Amino acid sequence: QVQLVESGGGSVQAGGSLRLSCAASGFTYSSNCVAWFRQAPGKKREGVAAKYTGALNTIYADSVKGRFTISQNDAKNTVYLQMSNLKPEDTAMYYCAAEPPPCAPRLTTKYNYWGQGTQVTVSS
């Protein structure tokens, strides 16, 4: 059984920072595809960051480039989303996703495994 659990969400003021974590059980992130998505009320789920954990290559949505960073810690079997200079429009439920190989990092929603999400609220 594969389980992804997000944590680190919360309420912050505009310009602040948060680091989201996604810990995996029954799944090893090393050499797999991982991604972060977000969904605001009434909006479609949006891919914000993705990477292949066996390489340094990363993909970011234009809306978060320069502000968000996706990374991993293989020893902890955890992926992260470091979010800086947060804006009110970043307010959403954030989800992590993963898929075993063969795979390629992407910002589409076609991933095998999903977490339950963690809420991020940015006040103006």
Side-chain angles (χ1 to χ4, degrees), residues 1-120:
Q1 182 178 352
V2 174
Q3 186 174 36
L4 307 180
V5 180
E6 300 96 336
S7 62
S11 181
V12 299
Q13 294 182 340
S17 300
L18 285 173
R19 188 179 75 163
L20 307 183
S21 300
C22 182
S25 299
F27 183 86
T28 301
Y29 281 128
S30 181
S31 300
N32 289 287
C33 294
V34 298
W36 285 94
F37 293 80
R38 66 186 182 186
Q39 187 168 23
K43 302 295 183 180
K44 293 177 61 67
R45 189 165 297 186
E46 173 192 23
V48 298
K51 79 183 301 286
Y52 177 66
T53 57
L56 298 177
N57 309 70
T58 55
I59 300 172
Y60 297 97
D62 289 341
S63 59
V64 306
K65 286 181 179 178
R67 299 190 298 120
F68 290 11
T69 301
I70 185 171
S71 63
Q72 71 196 71
N73 186 318
D74 289 340
K76 297 181 178 180
N77 204 28
T78 300
V79 298
Y80 305 95
L81 184 68
Q82 177 66 49
M83 306 183 295
S84 300
N85 192 25
L86 284 163
K87 305 175 180 180
E89 49 263 45
D90 295 319
T91 296
M93 185 73 74
Y94 283 73
Y95 302 88
C96 64
E99 184 175 321
C103 68
R106 60 199 185 276
L107 297 179
T108 63
T109 59
K110 301 298 183 180
Y111 280 81
N112 292 46
Y113 312 122
W114 291 85
Q116 293 296 312
T118 185
Q119 179 67 39
V120 172

